[in-house]
Amino acid sequence: MKNEKVEGIGSVYGGEYDTISFEGIGKLKGDVTAKKVMVDGIFKGKGKITADEMGIDGIARIFRDIKAKSVKIEGILKLRRASLNADRVICEGIMVANRAVCADEIYVDGICSVSRMYGDNVILKNNHDRIKASGNFLPIRLKPFIKLYFGRNVSLDYSLVDVLECTNLEAEGIKAKVIRANNVKLKNRCIVDKLFCDGEIFIDDTCHVGKIISKDQVITVKKEMGDMANMTLVKILDLYKDGKINADEAEKMINSIKLDSGEGYTSSRGTSLPWEDDGKLRIVAYIGRRLLKKGDPEARSIEVKYDSEALNVECYGNLTCGNVKGHVSAGGNVTCGDIGGSVSTGGNIYCKNIGGSIAAGGGVHIM
Amino acid sequence: MRRNLLVLGERYIEGDYGCIMAAGELHVDNSDIRSLYLAGETSIHRSAVHKLFGAGEVNANTLSFGNVKVVGEVNLQGFCKGDTLTITGDLSAEFLECRILGSSLPGLKGKKGRFVWGNGHFTWQGKLKAVTFENLYALDLSGCDYEFNNIISSGFLSYNGEIACNNFYSFGGLFCEGINAENITVIINDYISLQSVAGSNIRISKAFQADRLFKSIPKSFKYKNFTSDCGIVYIPSIEGDAINIEYTRSDVVSGVDVVIGDLCIIDRVEYSGSVVISGKAVVNEVVRL
């Protein structure tokens, strides 16, 4: 069989070939059957391609179906109104298809935007850093024209698939409308509207799955998270699911993990405090983990001493402080220097000067 | 012929006595007393007391004793040596050596040998040496320079370092950096906080059943078999030759023959001989050394 090689600008007509190679600007004008089709430049395919091996290192715009045993894409493959059928598809560049991509093995470690993807084992990784490093990334200034050019949305951050059907799926950074798979493993910001799965589902906590539907209505949702504690949690739930441990035992084991990871105990950092982060000095008291509030009987027996000038002071118990520029409000006795504003207290007042009004439950002693 | 004595109020005695019952302030010097029952403050110097039951403060200097049980504060000066000393209260000892040293009285022990929580804790200080140390109350040993062959703790034992001995049994709470002993038995408790356990035979379990070794240890109290209803204890590191644990969560369990029992959560199990892992345990990694 003959070989065909285009190193400048040229066209290839249909027929049977051993090897077809495009290294410049090439065009396929008829259906071809070849053992090997290599695209290193810019290629436009207007004919159906049947090949054992197909490699795309440049830019290939294909308008007819491709049937191949192995397709390797390291550049850009654009399929318009055409499908790709292969035993194995490896894409480390960009693959855009507005029809179907069918293969037993699909491995995408780049960018893909496919309308329908059917496969047996599908691994989708969204590694646009690799694409950028290879020099084949999409310039941001051309982003508005990307859809015009490809006929589909293309995202550097997600692998876009409308419908994905496969046996085993392992995906990172995928955005899909519908996924039908037997076993699913989703990691790294996957967004799926509907997930049909009858087998095991591993979903990273960074993923969002709208709806999980199972034929048998027995869904095992597992969260595979980075840390060991969550892996342990999954295993504990497995033991419980398998009936090896009962609910009490599972609870004990889960509590044991939670206590260590800090859950169950409210740290001061995690406590939701009833005030804003406004920079004010607050001296608060807890009994156990309960914050004493105004009106609590325990708060009245607490005395706060503050050796400095203050703007406004609000104290639920007794107060001893220096000069206060603003107002003072206390639940108990107030002992301080000069008060620029008004004073409101439930007990006695001992101070030097008060600039504003006085409301006291006890005596007022101006010294 | 020894005399018996009944003391009410303050009294100074010297010589050999049979039975002394004292309420008040008793001062004993150069005496040999068969039995002494006390209520109040007592000071004993250069004397031998074969049996002493007391409530109050006991100050002793160079004392030789048989069986002593005191509820109150005990201050021992000089070299004090005896058989059994059980104290419900604080202890300060310059140098104390005895066969059995206990921190409580049987009356304070709960049912089934389990600890009954009370308020506060005892603080012991000084140099202590005993074949067996028994703790049935909340006790802080941090101020002690101790040398115990066997430790049996049914109460809450606290120490600011690694507890080292030959045989260690814990049935209650435990707060220390670690345990280093030849034989270690820890019954799970919610008040256990320790970083490491290292020894030859390590058993961490839910139920206590006295084995032959435990029965052979000299002790003053009776310990019944019991089962703890506490949760899962967390010990980051467990290293030993023969390890048998259950209801334990640990980062690393390393040993020759390792048995991981029910409700264990272990990140990594290292073994060089054999390993048995219960179906009710979670082990993330098993490594043969």
Side-chain angles (χ1 to χ4, degrees):
Chain A
M1 282 192 285
K2 58 186 177 182
N3 295 327
E4 192 72 54
K5 189 168 187 179
V6 177
E7 290 192 346
I9 301 172
S11 299
V12 174
Y13 294 91
E16 288 193 6
Y17 297 90
D18 187 52
T19 302
I20 302 173
S21 175
F22 296 94
E23 291 185 0
I25 299 173
K27 187 175 180 181
L28 180 66
K29 292 188 173 177
D31 296 347
V32 291
T33 302
K35 285 186 178 176
K36 192 173 183 181
V37 176
M38 300 302 296
V39 176
D40 285 336
I42 297 172
F43 173 73
K44 183 177 182 181
K46 286 290 216 176
K48 189 178 175 183
I49 299 171
T50 305
D52 289 345
E53 185 184 347
M54 188 172 182
I56 299 168
D57 289 339
I59 299 172
R61 294 180 295 145
I62 310 281
F63 296 89
R64 299 289 185 273
D65 292 349
I66 300 173
K67 192 173 181 182
K69 286 184 180 174
S70 171
V71 175
K72 187 170 185 182
I73 304 158
E74 291 182 351
I76 298 173
L77 171 65
K78 186 181 91 169
L79 285 160
R80 290 292 294 266
R81 302 186 299 276
S83 300
L84 169 63
N85 293 287
D87 292 342
R88 189 173 61 191
V89 173
I90 297 171
C91 174
E92 293 177 349
I94 300 172
M95 178 172 64
V96 181
N98 57 9
R99 287 193 180 169
V101 173
C102 308
D104 291 340
E105 307 279 338
I106 299 176
Y107 177 83
V108 177
D109 189 10
I111 296 167
C112 84
S113 176
V114 176
S115 178
R116 298 190 303 279
M117 185 179 282
Y118 306 105
D120 189 24
N121 295 314
V122 177
I123 298 172
L124 300 178
K125 294 181 181 176
N126 181 256
N127 192 351
H128 65 267
D129 292 338
R130 184 190 172 94
I131 302 297
K132 281 181 180 177
S134 68
N136 293 328
F137 64 93
L138 299 169
I140 292 188
R141 62 178 181 273
L142 294 179
K143 202 173 179 182
F145 304 102
I146 287 173
K147 189 178 179 183
L148 271 175
Y149 177 74
F150 285 112
R152 279 184 58 83
N153 276 328
V154 175
S155 171
L156 290 175
D157 301 323
Y158 292 98
S159 298
L160 306 176
V161 181
D162 293 345
V163 178
L164 197 160
E165 293 185 14
C166 64
T167 309
N168 301 309
L169 170 65
E170 188 176 326
E172 293 178 24
I174 185 177
K175 193 182 272 187
K177 291 176 182 171
V178 178
I179 291 178
R180 296 173 195 272
N182 204 25
N183 299 309
V184 174
K185 199 172 186 179
L186 300 177
K187 293 193 285 188
N188 196 9
R189 303 172 290 107
C190 292
I191 299 172
V192 180
D193 292 344
K194 280 185 183 178
L195 173 61
F196 296 82
C197 182
D198 298 329
E200 283 190 327
I201 307 174
F202 292 88
I203 301 173
D204 194 317
D205 57 347
T206 60
C207 300
H208 173 73
V209 179
K211 199 172 182 181
I212 301 173
I213 301 159
S214 172
K215 281 181 185 174
D216 302 332
Q217 295 186 344
V218 178
I219 301 168
T220 307
V221 178
K222 296 177 181 178
K223 292 204 168 191
E224 187 190 58
M225 301 164 200
D227 52 346
M228 193 66 81
N230 290 321
M231 285 295 294
T232 307
L233 182 64
V234 170
K235 289 181 179 177
I236 293 168
L237 293 174
D238 275 346
L239 289 177
Y240 177 60
K241 188 190 78 176
D242 297 341
K244 291 179 179 175
I245 57 174
N246 58 34
D248 291 340
E249 291 170 336
E251 191 180 354
K252 273 185 183 178
M253 295 175 89
I254 291 168
N255 284 340
S256 169
I257 299 170
K258 280 184 175 178
L259 287 176
D260 182 61
S261 63
E263 289 180 41
Y265 290 119
T266 312
S267 64
S268 58
R269 194 184 300 173
T271 308
S272 58
L273 297 170
W275 55 74
E276 297 298 320
D277 185 12
D278 51 11
K280 286 183 182 175
L281 171 66
R282 289 181 173 86
I283 301 168
V284 298
Y286 284 84
I287 292 180
R289 293 182 210 151
R290 182 171 66 89
L291 174 68
L292 289 186
K293 295 180 180 175
K294 188 176 184 178
D296 287 344
E298 301 96 329
R300 291 177 190 163
S301 59
I302 294 170
E303 177 156 352
V304 174
K305 189 173 181 181
Y306 179 62
D307 287 331
S308 183
E309 284 202 348
L311 186 61
N312 295 308
V313 178
E314 186 177 350
C315 179
Y316 301 154
N318 301 319
L319 171 69
T320 302
C321 70
N323 297 332
V324 180
K325 289 180 181 175
H327 308 293
V328 171
S329 171
N333 299 325
V334 173
T335 304
C336 53
D338 295 335
I339 300 173
S342 58
V343 181
S344 172
T345 177
N348 301 317
I349 301 173
Y350 301 91
C351 62
K352 290 180 181 175
N353 292 310
I354 299 175
S357 60
I358 301 170
V364 178
H365 306 274
I366 308 294
M367 296 173 287
Chain B
M1 180 71 181
R2 291 173 181 250
R3 290 182 298 166
N4 296 333
L5 199 62
L6 178 65
V7 176
L8 295 172
E10 190 173 355
R11 180 78 181 262
Y12 291 84
I13 61 169
E14 195 172 334
D16 295 346
Y17 290 89
C19 178
I20 297 176
M21 301 176 83
E25 196 169 331
L26 179 67
H27 302 274
V28 180
D29 198 359
N30 284 324
S31 297
D32 190 314
I33 302 168
R34 191 179 298 145
S35 58
L36 180 59
Y37 299 92
L38 297 168
E41 189 176 339
T42 308
S43 60
I44 306 169
H45 297 276
R46 295 182 297 277
S47 300
V49 179
H50 300 283
K51 183 178 176 183
L52 190 154
F53 287 177
E57 185 178 339
V58 176
N59 299 303
N61 192 338
T62 319
L63 174 69
S64 173
F65 58 88
N67 185 11
V68 175
K69 291 181 180 176
V70 176
V71 178
E73 189 177 338
V74 177
N75 297 306
L76 303 176
Q77 298 295 320
F79 179 68
C80 298
K81 188 177 179 181
D83 184 67
T84 304
L85 174 60
T86 306
I87 302 167
T88 307
D90 294 337
L91 167 68
S92 173
E94 194 173 346
F95 188 89
L96 170 66
E97 183 178 343
C98 59
R99 192 172 66 94
I100 299 171
L101 178 64
S103 75
S104 184
L105 287 173
L108 289 178
K109 198 172 69 167
K111 291 179 180 177
K112 298 180 183 177
R114 293 170 67 181
F115 171 66
V116 178
W117 284 98
N119 294 324
H121 67 277
F122 300 147
T123 303
W124 287 14
Q125 293 176 332
K127 190 169 175 59
L128 312 176
K129 186 178 179 182
V131 176
T132 302
F133 166 66
E134 292 176 284
N135 174 43
L136 280 88
Y137 200 68
L139 177 67
D140 185 11
L141 273 180
S142 299
C144 294
D145 177 13
Y146 71 88
E147 188 182 331
F148 301 138
N149 197 23
N150 311 301
I151 293 177
I152 304 169
S153 176
S154 295
F156 184 88
L157 185 61
S158 167
Y159 187 65
N160 64 347
E162 188 181 70
I163 295 175
C165 61
N166 275 346
N167 303 307
F168 181 88
Y169 291 84
S170 173
F171 309 136
L174 197 57
F175 186 86
C176 60
E177 286 180 10
I179 301 167
N180 192 336
E182 192 70 16
N183 300 295
I184 298 170
T185 300
V186 175
I187 306 302
I188 59 165
N189 190 286
D190 289 334
Y191 299 96
I192 289 179
S193 171
L194 66 162
Q195 296 301 309
S196 65
V197 173
S200 295
N201 300 306
I202 298 171
R203 188 160 67 102
I204 300 170
S205 63
K206 190 181 183 184
F208 170 69
Q209 194 164 8
D211 53 8
R212 186 176 294 175
L213 176 67
F214 185 78
K215 287 174 183 173
S216 69
I217 292 173
K219 49 192 170 293
S220 58
F221 303 130
K222 288 182 180 176
Y223 296 87
K224 295 180 180 175
N225 298 340
F226 72 97
T227 302
S228 170
D229 55 359
C230 295
I232 293 173
V233 65
Y234 173 57
I235 301 169
S237 170
I238 299 171
E239 287 183 46
D241 294 335
I243 299 172
N244 189 334
I245 58 175
E246 61 179 9
Y247 289 80
T248 304
R249 194 167 72 80
S250 180
D251 297 337
V252 179
V253 175
S254 179
V256 178
D257 299 315
V258 179
V259 178
I260 306 294
D262 293 348
L263 269 63
C264 283
I265 304 168
I266 313 294
D267 280 348
R268 182 183 171 94
V269 173
E270 298 172 345
Y271 71 101
S272 55
S274 64
V275 65
V276 177
I277 298 173
S278 166
K280 295 168 77 172
V282 171
V283 177
N284 289 321
E285 191 179 4
V286 180
V287 178
R288 178 157 196 171
L289 299 174

